Amino acid sequence: MSEEKKIPYKIYLNENEMPTRWYNVRSDMKNKPAPLINPGTKEPMGFDDLRPVFCDELIKQELDNDTAYFDIPQKILDFYKMYRPSPLVRAYCLEEALGTPAKIYYKFEGNNTSGSHKLNSAIAQAYYAKEQGLKGLTTETGAGQWGTALSMACAYLGLDLKVFMVKVSYEQKPFRREVMRTYGASVTPSPSMETQIGKKINAEHPGTTGSLGCAISEAVEVATTNEGYRYVLGSVLNQVLLHQSIIGLETKAALDKYGIVPDMIIGCAGGGSNLGGLIAPFMGEKLRGEKDYRIIAVEPASCPSFTRGVYAYDFCDTGMVCPLAKMYTLGSDFIPSANHAGGLRYHGMSPILSQLYADGYMEAVSVEQTSVFEAATKFARTEGILPAPESSHAIKVAMDEALKCKETGEEKTIVFGLTGTGYFDLVAYQKYNDGEMTDYIPTDEDLKKSIANLPPM
Amino acid sequence: MSEEKKIPYKIYLNENEMPTRWYNVRSDMKNKPAPLINPGTKEPMGFDDLRPVFCDELIKQELDNDTAYFDIPQKILDFYKMYRPSPLVRAYCLEEALGTPAKIYYKFEGNNTSGSHKLNSAIAQAYYAKEQGLKGLTTETGAGQWGTALSMACAYLGLDLKVFMVKVSYEQKPFRREVMRTYGASVTPSPSMETQIGKKINAEHPGTTGSLGCAISEAVEVATTNEGYRYVLGSVLNQVLLHQSIIGLETKAALDKYGIVPDMIIGCAGGGSNLGGLIAPFMGEKLRGEKDYRIIAVEPASCPSFTRGVYAYDFCDTGMVCPLAKMYTLGSDFIPSANHAGGLRYHGMSPILSQLYADGYMEAVSVEQTSVFEAATKFARTEGILPAPESSHAIKVAMDEALKCKETGEEKTIVFGLTGTGYFDLVAYQKYNDGEMTDYIPTDEDLKKSIANLPPM
């Protein structure tokens, strides 16, 4: 116990202990993730196929299944120093509140203005665009986390940024929009009248409030039809998981510093960017047979791609303009029930994580949102931090596992990813506080219908 | 330069380097701050006079002008560990953007869910209430920073909390309200029908949207008429500055660690809680004649209590239910112009800071809000953090001073207080982003009128 107490509430790495390389978990996978394929030709997408859309250096990272480590450029390391290392927190107060012998740690990625881990990849993608001499970037955003992160990165590097924001979010979530504008991004409600696809959709569906798929299509159109612009995406892609490995590398370095070996690592999973980053170095050890860890992906019961989806090639976007990816998917036109307030609403999953799950290296569990907000509230009151609904999926399962330890008396060490803060999710919290939050689980019939729409291969 | 670069972007103290005592700057003041006085009898308020409203231990702290250090109780130290030490950040990126030889540091207090430094005193006040065996606390909140901080502290200690929130904020700022509710506080729009004073005001002014003065009156009424409740306040009071000295003590320890001696210390000033805390140990050295520093208070031109107020006894609240305090004041019914979006709207100033200013130990400067938001935006884009409008007053003056160094070539060391984040101030940012922000400076006539309402002494 005195040994125990030497572990501080928050473990910060010193600047000279911070990782200087990203780790590419694909290098240790025997079964590599399936390549992106061209929806027309059904051929794997090569470097030249991807050049009109993505930056050169990022395509190299996307396609490289072999290089184990990529040096992080100095300019990115400098940017990381402004908000990293993020703390690895020992949840002493939560442990006490639960009365568990388990030791709980969480890696908190919310201590930056974008409020989430998304910034780790945003700065990397913006950097390579700048290095390539591009003028600017385009992207889409739903709730706005990714758009905020990217606007911060572009402001830092002096890049232009055009964000297409789903119209309903643009109107109902003006605060995220204003953060992006404060960072100098232009934010356009989608569908707009600035693109061909936007005009077409507005003509066909007058008064539509937009969708993520439509916003992606607009962002891609602007990137491919304007000299000096490229499109960037905040999740799912291999390059994104590579950049996000900084989360796991820091976590591992902090644990190693105190000789802590986790029994299980828990993360929420939407498109997989956080989970893939958090688990990367641990998964590497597991793949190389050096260590064993339980690795648990947590997803919402209302959008259960791992636990109830199929592993197949599918469109990455509802607009069907992007390449096909092989992944656990619910079908590209799957949309979670309107009552779903907890984020993680993507129909698919990172191809890397999909392959690892298919090969049995990870578990997955789904949880219902009222129980997630209950866990979030308990966490907020004991640990102080108001968590994002997405992150709270991991909190819920970490608490469940800690309570199992209470029953068995086992002193397991649990690490989970706290991806962000809930400051911009208070409409959802209000619903919960007012007792008006409900759960919804799609029926087998629902899923059969959306999964039936997979592209023929 | 290589020497230079050894200073990390963020200086964090280790847990064993964190202060364990609060510092009471009054102990080193030759001229002590004037006592609170009873508005009826005009006699100084003693321990017994204050007992119906405040906790015993806090009254002792309030009245103690001699004890230099107060041990911080272990439970509060544990709570501090959840979000402290706050980082002292070297603003390398801002320095580069300004092209200044000055060295700029800021103490960032926004990395906690309440988003500001208010939590430092909230936990202390809640702790002593709990120790005294009380059931709960009451308070008022305007924009909601203080209410949020106190709700976090009360959740941690299992105290009941009733917050009276100015009705217009309750309706227009639902997000802060929901954070408080998530932490278990009951939040009542003020004026309410739950108090005598609230009923009276509602009857006299049907449809009123409330005021801070009214909310204070309601909170005090509930505290004094319910067994086991006390009222707490987040600024102005001596006890609050005592608790907030943790900011300055950490700042000084971090600077000392690297042998850095600041030339000037800059903080925004509303009621004075942040500024008083930040400067405390530096002011102590200055008062004892050991060191000299320029200490600069920054206030909004639209609410200029230091720079254009009078030093006199006045009511602390617009409702005139609280004791009288001797302070720089614009008169207790002074309200900043409706166009004022930048916070720091209190008509008076901490009695401690008022005495120090009267005695010539501090400077004060006022700035207009469009220039404040311009500085805030520049800061956000270079340093990443979206600052609170309040904090941005200090940013503005720190940048001005750094630019003076650029002209003179002096390598001065500037430390300023970054009290919080602007996540809940995006309506103001939107106004600025839309080019709709204006400035307003009260006329001499305006101030003459409000200052004429001082209580006769």
Side-chain angles (χ1 to χ4, degrees):
Chain A
M1 201 62 187
S2 67
E3 186 75 11
E4 184 65 20
K5 277 291 170 192
K6 282 182 196 157
I7 296 168
Y9 278 60
K10 289 178 291 181
I11 307 177
Y12 279 109
L13 299 175
N14 297 322
E15 278 188 10
N16 57 14
E17 296 169 323
M18 283 173 67
T20 57
R21 302 183 301 174
W22 292 305
Y23 166 63
N24 181 8
V25 74
R26 284 166 286 166
S27 67
D28 282 310
M29 291 169 69
K30 261 180 230 156
N31 298 325
K32 306 295 181 190
L36 298 175
I37 67 174
N38 182 315
T41 64
K42 304 284 155 79
E43 292 295 318
M45 305 280 283
F47 184 79
D48 290 332
D49 303 310
L50 293 166
R51 285 194 79 186
V53 182
F54 296 124
C55 303
D56 295 356
E57 204 58 36
L58 292 168
I59 300 172
K60 284 185 204 158
Q61 295 179 355
E62 188 66 30
L63 298 175
D64 189 335
N65 286 337
D66 303 309
T67 305
Y69 288 95
F70 287 79
D71 285 334
I72 306 174
Q74 188 58 45
K75 187 90 182 166
I76 300 177
L77 288 175
D78 286 346
F79 187 86
Y80 279 169
K81 282 180 197 162
M82 288 204 294
Y83 72 100
R84 308 200 67 82
S86 70
L88 181 71
V89 186
R90 173 70 184 266
Y92 283 119
C93 298
L94 182 62
E95 290 169 20
E96 196 184 321
L98 296 175
T100 176
K103 299 174 186 74
I104 309 175
Y105 295 85
Y106 55 90
K107 180 71 169 169
F108 179 44
E109 292 289 316
N111 265 356
N112 70 73
T113 286
S114 78
S116 84
H117 67 292
K118 297 274 181 186
L119 196 52
N120 302 328
S121 184
I123 184 60
Q125 297 193 47
Y127 170 81
Y128 291 114
K130 183 77 179 178
E131 284 297 291
Q132 197 175 316
L134 297 176
K135 272 188 250 170
L137 295 173
T138 72
T139 199
E140 80 293 336
T141 202
Q145 265 181 348
W146 168 245
T148 307
L150 196 61
S151 66
M152 291 174 67
C154 287
Y156 179 73
L157 296 168
L159 276 173
D160 187 38
L161 174 63
K162 292 181 192 302
V163 180
F164 287 88
M165 187 170 188
V166 178
K167 193 179 272 176
V168 62
S169 298
Y170 181 92
E171 285 162 1
Q172 292 181 0
K173 300 196 171 182
F175 288 175
R176 279 276 190 197
R177 179 187 80 207
E178 290 309 318
V179 180
M180 290 184 261
R181 290 182 69 208
T182 299
Y183 282 92
S186 85
V187 186
T188 306
S190 168
S192 75
M193 295 304 279
E194 294 178 15
T195 64
Q196 295 309 314
I197 184 90
K199 284 179 196 161
K200 184 162 169 274
I201 291 169
N202 272 317
E204 287 172 3
H205 307 279
T208 175
T209 55
S211 72
L212 210 52
C214 168
I216 294 179
S217 307
E218 290 203 274
V220 171
E221 181 183 321
V222 170
T224 50
T225 56
N226 283 274
E227 185 67 29
Y229 282 80
R230 290 292 186 283
Y231 168 74
V232 292
L233 184 67
S235 191
V236 182
L237 297 174
N238 297 341
Q239 58 186 272
V240 175
L241 267 71
L242 175 69
H243 308 146
Q244 295 294 359
S245 70
I246 189 79
I247 305 172
L249 291 164
E250 278 186 11
T251 302
K252 187 145 191 341
L255 291 171
D256 286 350
K257 200 167 162 177
Y258 287 88
I260 304 158
V261 180
D263 294 291
M264 67 189 90
I265 299 152
I266 301 169
C268 63
S273 69
N274 159 67
L275 181 67
L278 174 66
I279 66 174
F282 303 97
M283 183 60 84
E285 291 184 310
K286 190 165 176 171
L287 288 165
R288 297 191 301 271
E290 296 164 8
K291 288 250 176 72
D292 197 18
Y293 306 102
R294 277 186 70 195
I295 294 178
I296 307 173
V298 189
E299 58 186 16
S302 54
C303 190
S305 40
F306 267 141
T307 50
R308 297 177 68 199
V310 292
Y311 187 32
Y313 266 105
D314 195 6
F315 287 98
C316 290
D317 61 314
T318 42
M320 302 188 185
V321 299
C322 292
L324 303 178
K326 190 176 177 194
M327 55 186 177
Y328 280 85
T329 180
L330 301 167
S332 66
D333 60 357
F334 177 85
I335 293 173
S337 153
N339 86 337
H340 178 65
L344 308 174
R345 48 176 62 244
Y346 187 60
H347 69 277
M349 183 54 66
S350 140
I352 293 175
L353 294 183
S354 293
Q355 186 64 49
L356 289 167
Y357 182 63
D359 290 343
Y361 288 103
M362 293 168 47
E363 305 165 39
V365 55
S366 76
V367 289
E368 295 181 41
Q369 69 178 0
T370 49
S371 72
V372 166
F373 276 84
E374 193 185 342
T377 301
K378 179 150 194 121
F379 182 82
R381 292 183 187 184
T382 49
E383 287 290 317
I385 298 167
L386 184 77
E390 292 84 352
S391 324
S392 305
H393 287 73
I395 294 173
K396 162 67 181 155
V397 172
M399 283 169 59
D400 287 348
E401 291 291 334
L403 290 172
K404 281 183 207 163
C405 289
K406 188 178 180 176
E407 278 176 33
T408 62
E410 290 172 289
E411 292 187 24
K412 288 193 177 161
T413 297
I414 300 170
V415 172
F416 73 89
L418 189 71
T419 56
T421 55
Y423 302 139
F424 294 95
D425 303 289
L426 285 157
V427 171
Y429 272 99
Q430 180 172 359
K431 225 173 174 180
Y432 176 75
N433 292 336
D434 288 341
E436 288 169 6
M437 182 166 278
T438 53
D439 290 316
Y440 177 81
I441 302 179
T443 63
D444 289 342
E445 207 55 38
D446 293 335
L447 295 183
K448 208 179 283 174
K449 220 180 286 174
S450 65
I451 289 171
N453 283 334
L454 294 184
M457 293 300 295
Chain B
M1 201 63 186
S2 65
E3 188 74 13
E4 184 66 21
K5 278 290 170 192
K6 282 183 196 156
I7 296 168
Y9 278 61
K10 289 179 291 180
I11 306 177
Y12 279 109
L13 300 175
N14 297 322
E15 279 188 8
N16 57 14
E17 297 168 324
M18 282 173 68
T20 57
R21 302 184 300 174
W22 292 304
Y23 166 64
N24 181 9
V25 74
R26 285 167 285 167
S27 66
D28 282 310
M29 291 169 69
K30 261 181 229 155
N31 299 325
K32 306 294 180 190
L36 297 174
I37 68 174
N38 182 315
T41 65
K42 303 285 156 77
E43 291 296 319
M45 304 280 282
F47 185 79
D48 290 332
D49 303 310
L50 293 166
R51 285 195 79 187
V53 182
F54 296 124
C55 302
D56 294 357
E57 203 57 37
L58 292 168
I59 300 171
K60 284 184 203 159
Q61 296 179 353
E62 189 66 30
L63 298 175
D64 189 334
N65 285 337
D66 304 308
T67 305
Y69 288 94
F70 287 78
D71 285 334
I72 306 175
Q74 188 59 45
K75 187 89 181 166
I76 299 177
L77 288 176
D78 286 346
F79 187 86
Y80 280 169
K81 282 181 198 162
M82 289 205 293
Y83 72 100
R84 307 200 69 81
S86 70
L88 181 71
V89 185
R90 173 71 184 267
Y92 284 119
C93 297
L94 183 63
E95 290 170 18
E96 196 186 320
L98 296 174
T100 177
K103 298 175 186 72
I104 309 174
Y105 295 85
Y106 54 90
K107 180 69 169 169
F108 180 43
E109 291 289 317
N111 265 356
N112 69 72
T113 287
S114 78
S116 85
H117 66 292
K118 297 274 181 184
L119 196 52
N120 301 329
S121 183
I123 183 63
Q125 297 193 47
Y127 170 81
Y128 290 114
K130 184 76 181 179
E131 284 297 291
Q132 197 173 318
L134 298 176
K135 272 188 249 169
L137 295 172
T138 72
T139 199
E140 81 293 335
T141 202
Q145 266 181 347
W146 167 246
T148 308
L150 196 61
S151 67
M152 290 174 67
C154 287
Y156 178 72
L157 295 168
L159 277 172
D160 187 39
L161 174 62
K162 292 182 192 300
V163 179
F164 287 88
M165 187 171 188
V166 178
K167 194 179 272 176
V168 61
S169 298
Y170 181 92
E171 284 161 3
Q172 292 181 1
K173 300 195 170 182
F175 288 174
R176 280 274 189 201
R177 180 188 79 207
E178 290 309 319
V179 179
M180 290 184 262
R181 290 182 69 209
T182 299
Y183 281 92
S186 84
V187 186
T188 305
S190 167
S192 76
M193 296 303 278
E194 294 178 15
T195 65
Q196 295 308 315
I197 184 90
K199 283 179 197 160
K200 182 161 171 276
I201 291 169
N202 272 318
E204 287 171 3
H205 307 277
T208 177
T209 56
S211 72
L212 208 53
C214 167
I216 293 178
S217 308
E218 290 203 274
V220 171
E221 181 183 322
V222 170
T224 50
T225 56
N226 283 274
E227 185 68 27
Y229 282 80
R230 290 294 184 283
Y231 167 74
V232 293
L233 185 66
S235 192
V236 182
L237 297 174
N238 297 340
Q239 59 187 268
V240 175
L241 268 71
L242 175 69
H243 307 147
Q244 294 295 358
S245 70
I246 189 80
I247 305 173
L249 292 164
E250 278 186 11
T251 302
K252 188 147 190 337
L255 291 171
D256 286 349
K257 198 167 162 177
Y258 287 88
I260 304 159
V261 181
D263 294 292
M264 67 190 89
I265 299 151
I266 301 169
C268 62
S273 68
N274 158 67
L275 181 67
L278 174 66
I279 67 174
F282 302 98
M283 183 60 86
E285 291 183 310
K286 192 166 174 169
L287 289 164
R288 295 190 301 270
E290 296 164 8
K291 287 249 176 73
D292 197 18
Y293 306 101
R294 276 186 70 196
I295 293 178
I296 308 172
V298 189
E299 58 186 16
S302 53
C303 190
S305 40
F306 266 141
T307 52
R308 296 176 68 199
V310 293
Y311 187 32
Y313 267 104
D314 195 6
F315 286 97
C316 291
D317 62 314
T318 42
M320 303 187 184
V321 300
C322 291
L324 303 178
K326 190 177 178 193
M327 56 185 179
Y328 280 86
T329 179
L330 301 166
S332 67
D333 61 357
F334 177 84
I335 292 173
S337 154
N339 85 336
H340 179 65
L344 308 172
R345 48 177 61 243
Y346 187 62
H347 69 277
M349 183 56 65
S350 138
I352 292 175
L353 294 183
S354 292
Q355 186 63 48
L356 289 167
Y357 182 64
D359 290 343
Y361 288 102
M362 293 169 46
E363 306 165 37
V365 56
S366 76
V367 289
E368 295 180 43
Q369 69 179 2
T370 50
S371 71
V372 167
F373 277 84
E374 192 185 344
T377 301
K378 180 153 191 117
F379 182 82
R381 292 183 187 185
T382 50
E383 286 290 318
I385 297 167
L386 184 78
E390 292 85 351
S391 325
S392 304
H393 288 74
I395 295 174
K396 162 69 179 153
V397 172
M399 282 171 58
D400 286 349
E401 291 291 334
L403 290 173
K404 282 183 206 161
C405 289
K406 188 178 179 176
E407 277 175 33
T408 62
E410 289 173 290
E411 293 187 23
K412 287 192 178 161
T413 297
I414 300 169
V415 172
F416 72 88
L418 188 71
T419 55
T421 55
Y423 302 139
F424 293 95
D425 302 290
L426 285 158
V427 172
Y429 272 99
Q430 179 172 0
K431 224 172 174 179
Y432 177 75
N433 291 336
D434 288 341
E436 288 169 6
M437 182 166 278
T438 53
D439 290 317
Y440 176 80
I441 303 181
T443 63
D444 289 341
E445 208 56 36
D446 293 336
L447 294 183
K448 208 179 285 174
K449 219 180 288 173
S450 65
I451 289 171
N453 283 333
L454 294 184
M457 292 301 296

